[in-house]
Amino acid sequence: DGSVIVGTSDRGGAYRAFVIKFNTSDNTKGPMLDLGVLGTDPGFESWANAVSADGSVIVGNSFDGNDQNAFAITYDKATNTAGEMVNLGALISGNISSNALAVSADGSIIAGQFYNGTSRHAVLWVDPFTDPYMVDATEWMQSISGPSGILPIVTSLTSMPMEGAHHRPLITLDAMGKTSQAWVTGDFGARSRTSDSHTTTGEAGISHTFGNVLAGLAVGYGVQNNDLLFDGASHVSGQYILGEIDAKLSDNQGIISLTTMFGSWKSDTLRGYGIQSGLTDYSQGSTNLNSASVRLRFDGPSHKLAGGPFVTPFASFTWTRVAAEAYNESGGSFDAQFDAQEHQSREVRLGLSSKFLLSDKTTLLATAEWIHRFDKTESGFSGTDIDHNALPFDVAGAAITANQARFGLDVDHKLTSNTMLNFSVHAAGVGPSADVSGALSIRRAF
């Protein structure tokens, strides 16, 4: 209400934080009160930067004999007296300097910054006079990118079977003289350039051929583990069902295939962030997600290169939707609430495959493809810290690498007349697809 004014005054060569009462009804002021300094040397200086709504808490910074450090101090307007300065900078490990710049209406939360010798970090101090603790707000805001990443995590988890055991139409596999096949498959993938993650999926499936049409159905389970900032981690796991229909066009003019995949997932995230004395605090949360993917693919007719192998062009379009429920974290000094999230991705792939007959039992398939993502950024995310509502966030999604190249090798080897072993390995440039991935399948024809 304008009844308490704080600032800094030059006391003949030394700056001092002050507070002064002001009567808005008759424009009169009381005596100026020197708030003192951190430390004992009267030559030390202090600056007052902000005051709470009722004038009871004043914050600023002062030299304490070693560094410039943030302070908080209580003020009694009725008696025009101040309490003892609390050194907020003492809560920061390895602090070089700190400054308190703002205070909440009730004086319970103080905002400022500190300099650690290389960079400035935003910081919050909570309950400065009773049980003071702090959170590195810069690291806290960085840490929420971990839980926000569950949508791209599930998108990549969903793509693993479609880039692995189902990266080519089922109808292109050797039927081994039968009309039906059953299989078990394991896929794996790893990233280390844009994230640190490991993905594994496993499935069992069956297919049947009806003339020029093949229909297949598989059920599977997938897991992805990710290392996050500040020693955090996430674990996503769940089940999926995958269906595929392939049709050979007349006169060997190509293959059209439609693949759909639906998944139900659970994400468990441990989020780390910096607090006082250089320690790391952790909050954890869980949420449920669902995913749906549809891929339409066309494999053109094969063409024999002059003096070389047959080459088959292919093109595909994939649409994926991933949605996560809203959830609250628990534990830690600054646990967060995350709003519901949803993202839809769209990609096109253009590629070539070439088949080499190594023996009457073994075939090698080489592929090269270009991947383009039409969604330029991940979906944004929003929420706030639960206990204080001091760190609300509404953050735009991270940029997506639009173009990526991917190369692979497949080996199909007949173990018996009706049993086949398939192995594939892929490597990709920087982008949404895994840096390296592979798949191993056993197929039985009947």
Side-chain angles (χ1 to χ4, degrees):
D1 60 2
S3 64
V4 176
I5 300 170
V6 301
T8 305
S9 175
D10 185 352
R11 295 189 55 197
Y15 289 100
R16 286 295 182 88
F18 73 83
V19 59
I20 189 169
K21 293 190 296 182
F22 183 73
N23 191 329
T24 57
S25 61
D26 59 7
N27 288 337
T28 59
K29 62 180 178 64
M32 181 183 290
L33 177 65
D34 185 344
L35 294 176
V37 295
L38 294 172
T40 58
D41 191 324
F44 289 171
E45 297 180 321
S46 60
W47 293 262
N49 296 324
V51 61
S52 61
D54 63 359
S56 64
V57 177
I58 301 166
V59 301
N61 65 300
S62 171
F63 187 68
D64 65 359
N66 296 306
D67 302 304
Q68 293 282 352
N69 267 318
F71 74 79
I73 190 170
T74 58
Y75 174 66
D76 187 334
K77 183 168 58 174
T79 61
N80 195 35
T81 57
E84 183 178 349
M85 275 189 179
V86 175
N87 188 345
L88 301 175
L91 295 174
I92 304 172
S93 175
N95 173 51
I96 294 178
S97 64
S98 59
N99 194 4
L101 300 171
V103 59
S104 62
D106 63 359
S108 64
I109 301 176
I110 298 167
Q113 63 181 4
F114 72 89
Y115 179 68
N116 61 10
T118 58
S119 61
R120 296 191 181 278
H121 283 222
V123 63
L124 292 182
W125 292 275
V126 180
D127 298 331
F129 305 107
T130 54
D131 185 19
Y133 63 94
M134 61 148 284
V135 62
D136 185 326
T138 297
E139 289 190 358
W140 194 92
M141 291 299 293
Q142 291 172 343
S143 73
I144 61 174
S145 65
S148 75
I150 58 177
L151 294 188
I153 285 172
V154 171
T155 299
S156 67
L157 186 52
T158 299
S159 70
M160 182 56 59
M162 300 181 81
E163 289 190 328
H166 297 274
H167 82 91
R168 54 174 165 153
L170 292 172
I171 203 169
T172 62
L173 296 165
D174 190 344
M176 293 178 279
K178 308 291 183 178
T179 58
S180 298
Q181 285 192 11
W183 68 85
V184 291
T185 296
D187 293 287
F188 68 90
R191 290 176 175 81
S192 61
R193 290 175 292 189
T194 58
S195 63
D196 191 356
S197 66
H198 298 84
T199 307
T200 55
T201 63
E203 70 174 43
I206 190 170
S207 66
H208 185 76
T209 302
F210 306 87
N212 289 331
V213 177
L214 178 146
L217 184 67
V219 292
Y221 182 82
V223 176
Q224 185 172 127
N225 294 304
N226 294 263
D227 293 334
L228 305 179
L229 293 173
F230 315 117
D231 295 324
S234 74
H235 174 84
V236 179
S237 61
Q239 303 80 34
Y240 66 87
I241 182 169
L242 184 148
E244 180 176 333
I245 297 177
D246 304 335
K248 286 185 178 180
L249 302 181
S250 59
D251 299 325
N252 293 320
Q253 291 303 303
I255 298 169
I256 291 181
S257 65
L258 179 67
T259 306
T260 60
M261 180 176 170
F262 300 92
S264 177
W265 316 92
K266 181 181 180 182
S267 170
D268 298 301
T269 303
L270 181 69
R271 184 173 62 88
Y273 46 90
I275 57 172
Q276 63 265 21
S277 303
L279 301 176
T280 300
D281 206 355
Y282 298 92
S283 298
Q284 56 188 5
S286 300
T287 190
N288 297 313
L289 304 96
N290 60 75
S291 64
S293 293
V294 179
R295 181 182 70 193
L296 181 64
R297 172 168 168 152
F298 173 71
D299 288 69
S302 298
H303 301 277
K304 183 173 177 58
L305 299 179
F310 282 94
V311 174
T312 303
F314 63 86
S316 69
F317 175 81
T318 305
W319 169 86
T320 300
R321 175 188 176 273
V322 178
E325 298 175 357
Y327 71 98
N328 290 352
E329 292 179 327
S330 62
S333 54
F334 265 78
D335 45 0
Q337 169 259 318
F338 290 86
D339 299 330
Q341 304 176 52
E342 179 182 328
H343 184 72
Q344 296 185 31
S345 63
R346 300 168 304 282
E347 71 168 35
V348 66
R349 297 184 181 221
L350 301 175
L352 296 171
S353 64
S354 184
K355 184 178 290 188
F356 303 86
L357 186 63
L358 302 183
S359 70
D360 59 345
K361 293 183 178 181
T362 306
T363 300
L364 175 69
L365 181 73
T367 60
E369 60 185 339
W370 170 76
I371 308 168
H372 177 74
R373 282 280 291 267
F374 292 97
D375 45 323
K376 302 301 182 183
T377 62
E378 300 290 351
S379 296
F381 54 97
S382 59
T384 188
D385 68 293
I386 294 174
D387 295 328
H388 313 288
N389 197 29
L391 288 169
F393 52 88
D394 189 352
V395 183
I400 296 173
T401 301
N403 297 295
Q404 185 179 22
R406 188 168 182 259
F407 304 92
L409 292 173
D410 292 61
V411 175
D412 300 340
H413 178 71
K414 281 187 178 180
L415 300 176
T416 66
S417 62
N418 59 358
T419 305
M420 179 181 292
L421 173 70
N422 306 105
F423 175 74
S424 67
V425 61
H426 287 82
V430 176
S433 292
D435 298 343
V436 293
S437 60
L440 181 65
S441 302
I442 295 289
R443 300 179 183 273
R444 178 87 172 181
F446 59 95

